[in-house]
Amino acid sequence: MWTRFSLFLLFIAANVCPALRAQQVRVHGTVLTSNREPVEFATVLLLQAKDSSSVQATVADAQGAFSLRGVAPGTYQLRASFIGLVPKTQALVLVAGAVPPAITLQLAAMPQQLAEVQVTASRPRITQLPDRLILDVANTPLAAGYTTLEVLAKAPGVYVDPRSESVSLNGKGTMVVVDGKRTYLSGSELAAFLKSLGSQEIQKVELITSPGAKYDAEGPGGVINIITKKSLLDGTRGSLTLGSGGMTNSRQTAGISLNHKRGPLALYGGYTLAGRQTQVSEQAQLDYLAGPERAVTATHLLTSATPTRQLGHTFKAGLDWQASPKTSFNLYLRGLRTARTSTTEAATRLLHYPAAPDSVLTSHTDAHSNATQLASNLGLRQQLDSASTLTADLDYSYYESGQNNLVRNAFVTAQGEVPGYGLQLRNYLPKAIRIVAGQLDYERTLRLGKLELGAKHSYVTSENDARYELLRPEGWQDDALRTNFFSYQEHVSAAYATFAGKRRQLEYRVGLRLEQTNSVGYLHTTDAQARRSYLSLFPSVLLSRAVGKGDYLSLAYGRRIQRPSYQDLNPFIYFQDVYTYSQGNPFLRPEFTHALDLTYTLRSTYVVALGYSQTSDVIAWVTQREVPGSLVTQSRAENLNSQHQWTLTATVPVSPRKWWTVTNALQASYTTFLLRGVANAPRTVQGLAAVYSLSNDFVVPGGWNLSASGYFQSPLPSGVTQTRGQYSVNLGLQKKFRQDRLALRVLYNDVLRTARAVSLTEFDNLRSRSTYRWDSNFFSATLTYQLGNQKVKVANKSRSVTGDEESRIK
């Protein structure tokens, strides 16, 4: 089926409207600074010469290279621009039958004295390319006061689970990178890092739904690339950021960034201190069912509230050294230290409980945790000749955390507390993860296109300790039933090949990646082992062909993998109270996804995409009764049978006035989860879902920029549960002072206080409904001041090769 369907769509893409495209050509080149350094992510516009109307637009890659496909013969202007540099415009005449040569656009330094500029229009917030969607962050009032995690939650197709704070793209797991460098984190650790990175540091976010074979195959939904702000000229500069806000709770941020470049050496560093006080709460009802008629035999009403105080220290440091015209080195170090204190007050009211009517189980938990994240990269780039380049990277990452919990339970009836039923428990949960990875990449430009070859090997060790003690009349004693030690080792070896070229107006990129995974999980307490070894192939294809002036059709296919996170594999038992606990699963299998996407772009602006994906062995957390007849519920990581999903996305930006820009984004999907392997669950969970987001950006007199944005999410299926719909409205404004050195940004998030997560689960013997609320309603104000010379280059961020392994840390 897959082969026939793929060939059918390839035939359409290769043959549609050949007469219209026979004379169209490809315009390509490079954007450089005046000292011939690449301008990463520069904006390139193709304009009509007669009226400067836009024909096509694109963004240069990390080497400053750009490409515009399907351009008809005629007279044009080619314009390149980037923040802090003087835009460059070059006349361009295209003749039918003639292949234009590569074009070099050099951007000079912005003059020291800047005249006041009256802004009359807003830049587009969303740009669509054949394999990715680019979200502009820096040029909106919402570019400060948010964390990066909150920015991602507002991106089209991105969903951040409010409970776990895990990030997914188009309903599937994703790989997160920063400036092309993997973060090596996932789950709570990734969330902590993204919350420590302020939105004022972000330039753009790329949602790469069709990554090539050069990327690790991890992440069925694709890759999220967070591009931080940078400028490109010699000198010394920096920025100072101060922010504060809150509503019920508060948040504070203070940070400094310094960069220096002179000649071939660039140094950079930064530090951010972020404090947050938050509170989450949950109300849930669990009905225990029995018999074919599913009669309610017992009901638990659960309530909990957890206020948390967190302080995070984030730092980065690095250097880029251009040792010779053909040789460059880079060194990068990133770290995060967090300390968190929380108190959870929970109560479980027991109904239909004959032994103790109107009884309540109370739980009080004091938690203290510390975590340290370190990531480093050493890279070499060597130009072998005019057509080939060799790149080598060595990465080392380390994560360490420790958590102390003190849990006090009490069982209370109408007569008071019942002696002997209360449980007092304390534990210490240290965790350590180390990742070492090396990668070698070779690129060569051939007559017919570009060839890329590469290899990678990674080694991961994870150690999870759990030490539990129970309070008995004679004092604290070891709890042998809960104390445990779990270790995990994993080797992943990979090799890939990619070729990109053009044939008869059809641009293509084909790739194949091979990954061999060997792992062993060892539960020391019971001397139990879980070994895995599997070899996987990951093909990828991207085709793109112009079908008109500024219109093109692209087709993408890829196979990807989602390995279980290290915490998903950990079989430790974590108790909330005597009726509720969670547990990992060392026998989890990885999930594999086939994805096919057909995208049509009109006038380089309006986008419609149709996609289909099929995922096997979907990893999900399932909550159900421990054994039939028991009132104890267990949450456990499981493999669902499969997921089938059709998606339709549309992006429509419009400008009703020069001072008003509206961005509309819609994502609709029909998803079916097959659950035949999950006991007592329905055979399928399916449904239609849609998310519509709207952003209005205004430029008003006096230099103020205003923004009003929001989203509506319909009910949607998610694994074994159904999630109810929700909506939210946000406001923001910004103003710059002192020749644009000082920027004030103010925002008000979730104005109507409507954001919450309501989930429903329906099993044969258990029914649950849960409402989860978090600190979505807040006000914040942020000041950013630019220090020193504003014409300095922030060193190019190095690539990371341990990211796919680190992204599974939870």
Side-chain angles (χ1 to χ4, degrees), residues 445-661:
T445 302
L446 306 174
R447 182 176 62 87
L448 299 178
K450 183 179 181 181
L451 174 67
E452 297 179 87
L453 303 172
K456 172 187 173 181
H457 181 79
S458 64
Y459 173 61
V460 177
T461 63
S462 173
E463 296 180 347
N464 297 263
D465 199 357
R467 309 169 193 173
Y468 283 85
E469 292 180 322
L470 283 171
L471 182 60
R472 302 190 184 277
E474 56 272 23
W476 290 101
Q477 294 186 355
D478 290 340
D479 182 358
L481 293 177
R482 297 178 176 88
T483 297
N484 224 323
F485 187 83
F486 177 71
S487 62
Y488 180 79
Q489 295 184 8
E490 179 183 84
H491 291 264
V492 178
S493 301
Y496 76 88
T498 298
F499 186 78
K502 185 176 182 180
R503 181 176 176 82
R504 296 180 181 177
Q505 305 302 318
L506 178 67
E507 293 194 37
Y508 61 89
R509 186 191 68 205
V510 295
L512 182 64
R513 188 176 185 90
L514 175 71
E515 292 189 355
Q516 171 68 46
T517 304
N518 297 292
S519 66
V520 56
Y522 181 44
L523 192 60
H524 295 251
T525 310
T526 60
D527 195 30
Q529 284 191 358
R531 291 184 176 272
R532 289 291 173 86
S533 179
Y534 48 93
L535 180 68
S536 306
L537 285 172
F538 301 97
S540 62
V541 179
L542 176 64
L543 307 176
S544 182
R545 189 168 188 177
V547 293
K549 184 180 296 185
D551 305 347
Y552 59 86
L553 184 71
S554 62
L555 175 69
Y557 164 75
R559 182 176 189 253
R560 298 184 69 78
I561 187 175
Q562 182 74 54
R563 297 180 177 86
S565 72
Y566 310 128
Q567 195 61 26
D568 288 343
L569 296 167
N570 187 347
F572 290 178
I573 295 177
Y574 296 92
F575 285 88
Q576 177 177 324
D577 54 45
V578 295
Y579 291 104
T580 309
Y581 70 92
S582 61
Q583 183 179 27
N585 182 359
F587 300 101
L588 280 176
R589 300 180 299 276
E591 60 180 64
F592 292 90
T593 297
H594 295 273
L596 191 65
D597 296 283
L598 185 66
T599 303
Y600 181 74
T601 303
L602 175 67
R603 300 176 186 173
S604 302
T605 303
Y606 310 104
V607 181
V608 177
L610 176 66
Y612 174 75
S613 66
Q614 175 182 315
T615 304
S616 60
D617 292 324
V618 178
I619 299 172
W621 282 81
V622 179
T623 301
Q624 54 184 324
R625 298 171 76 163
E626 184 181 40
V627 295
S630 171
L631 296 184
V632 177
T633 58
Q634 174 200 61
S635 295
R636 180 177 168 87
E638 300 282 0
N639 284 113
L640 311 183
N641 293 86
S642 62
Q643 173 190 358
H644 302 262
Q645 185 180 62
W646 288 93
T647 59
L648 175 66
T649 61
T651 304
V652 183
V654 295
S655 295
R657 297 288 187 271
K658 289 184 178 181
W659 45 266
W660 180 17
T661 301

Side-chain angles (χ1 to χ4, degrees), residues 318-469:
L319 64 86
D320 284 352
W321 178 37
Q322 190 72 37
S324 71
K326 294 186 176 182
T327 306
S328 63
F329 296 89
N330 65 266
L331 178 64
Y332 181 75
L333 177 65
R334 187 195 74 236
L336 171 63
R337 175 70 176 176
T338 58
R340 177 184 298 183
T341 301
S342 65
T343 301
T344 301
E345 296 286 354
T348 302
R349 185 180 179 189
L350 311 181
L351 304 181
H352 312 293
Y353 194 66
D358 297 325
S359 57
V360 177
L361 176 68
T362 63
S363 176
H364 177 95
T365 304
D366 292 319
H368 304 270
S369 64
N370 292 278
T372 301
Q373 303 171 8
L374 293 174
S376 59
N377 167 260
L378 177 63
L380 165 68
R381 181 178 179 86
Q382 178 67 48
Q383 184 175 342
L384 303 178
D385 52 44
S386 60
S388 58
T389 304
L390 185 68
T391 305
D393 287 277
L394 178 64
D395 284 11
Y396 174 77
S397 299
Y398 176 74
Y399 174 79
E400 180 183 58
S401 67
Q403 180 172 334
N404 290 280
N405 296 308
L406 177 61
V407 184
R408 296 187 294 272
N409 292 291
F411 191 64
V412 182
T413 67
Q415 289 72 38
E417 184 174 342
V418 180
Y421 280 81
L423 174 70
Q424 295 200 43
L425 178 73
R426 70 182 184 186
N427 58 34
Y428 177 57
L429 308 174
K431 176 167 59 176
I433 299 174
R434 294 174 177 84
I435 305 169
V436 180
Q439 181 164 330
L440 195 66
D441 299 285
Y442 174 76
E443 299 179 3
R444 184 169 183 83
T445 302
L446 306 174
R447 182 176 62 87
L448 299 178
K450 183 179 181 181
L451 174 67
E452 297 179 87
L453 303 172
K456 172 187 173 181
H457 181 79
S458 64
Y459 173 61
V460 177
T461 63
S462 173
E463 296 180 347
N464 297 263
D465 199 357
R467 309 169 193 173
Y468 283 85
E469 292 180 322

Side-chain angles (χ1 to χ4, degrees), residues 64-352:
F66 67 89
S67 177
L68 299 166
R69 299 172 302 280
V71 182
T75 303
Y76 301 94
Q77 290 183 333
L78 191 64
R79 178 181 175 87
S81 62
F82 192 82
I83 297 174
L85 302 177
V86 177
K88 174 70 173 181
T89 301
Q90 177 173 316
L92 180 64
V93 179
L94 301 180
V95 180
V99 179
I103 300 170
T104 300
L105 298 172
Q106 288 188 269
L107 307 185
M110 190 73 74
Q112 289 281 359
Q113 300 298 324
L114 298 178
E116 182 177 355
V117 177
Q118 179 66 41
V119 180
T120 59
S122 299
R123 294 180 58 185
R125 179 174 290 201
I126 295 177
T127 303
Q128 179 71 48
L129 299 180
D131 64 339
R132 69 194 64 193
L133 182 147
I134 302 174
L135 177 67
D136 184 20
V137 175
N139 296 285
T140 70
L142 306 179
Y146 282 113
T147 68
T148 299
L149 186 68
E150 291 164 339
V151 170
L152 294 183
K154 301 178 187 305
V158 178
Y159 178 69
V160 177
D161 187 282
R163 288 186 176 87
S164 65
E165 297 183 316
S166 60
V167 182
S168 60
L169 179 60
N170 295 330
K172 297 177 283 292
T174 183
M175 182 172 67
V176 178
V177 303
V178 178
D179 293 317
K181 176 182 176 62
R182 284 296 306 274
T183 60
Y184 313 135
L185 305 167
S186 74
S188 59
E189 280 70 42
L190 176 61
F193 168 71
L194 295 177
K195 286 188 289 189
S196 71
L197 183 65
S199 60
Q200 68 274 3
E201 299 183 47
I202 303 175
Q203 182 71 34
K204 302 176 186 293
V205 174
E206 293 184 329
L207 309 178
I208 309 174
T209 54
S210 304
K214 187 173 183 177
Y215 287 95
D216 288 3
E218 190 78 20
V223 176
I224 297 178
N225 184 23
I226 300 167
I227 301 171
T228 58
K229 293 179 179 178
K230 52 179 68 69
S231 56
L232 296 165
L233 299 177
D234 284 344
T236 301
R237 65 158 288 187
S239 64
L240 177 66
T241 300
L242 295 173
S244 182
M247 192 64 71
T248 305
N249 296 287
S250 63
R251 53 177 64 196
Q252 307 84 28
T253 302
I256 186 170
S257 177
L258 296 173
N259 308 276
H260 174 79
K261 183 180 184 300
R262 183 174 297 276
L265 183 64
L267 304 173
Y268 57 94
Y271 169 77
T272 300
L273 176 66
R276 294 192 67 186
Q277 295 79 44
T278 63
Q279 178 166 316
V280 299
S281 63
E282 184 171 11
Q283 297 82 39
Q285 176 175 326
L286 278 70
D287 294 323
Y288 297 84
L289 313 175
E293 67 281 4
R294 303 177 71 241
V296 178
T297 60
T299 297
H300 287 181
L301 300 178
L302 292 77
T303 60
S304 68
T306 306
T308 301
R309 301 177 66 90
Q310 177 175 303
L311 187 64
H313 306 262
T314 306
F315 72 89
K316 63 179 180 180
L319 64 86
D320 284 352
W321 178 37
Q322 190 72 37
S324 71
K326 294 186 176 182
T327 306
S328 63
F329 296 89
N330 65 266
L331 178 64
Y332 181 75
L333 177 65
R334 187 195 74 236
L336 171 63
R337 175 70 176 176
T338 58
R340 177 184 298 183
T341 301
S342 65
T343 301
T344 301
E345 296 286 354
T348 302
R349 185 180 179 189
L350 311 181
L351 304 181
H352 312 293

Side-chain angles (χ1 to χ4, degrees), residues 718-733:
S718 179
V720 298
T721 66
Q722 292 274 0
T723 301
R724 289 291 177 88
Q726 60 173 301
Y727 64 96
S728 180
V729 175
N730 314 302
L731 301 174
L733 62 88

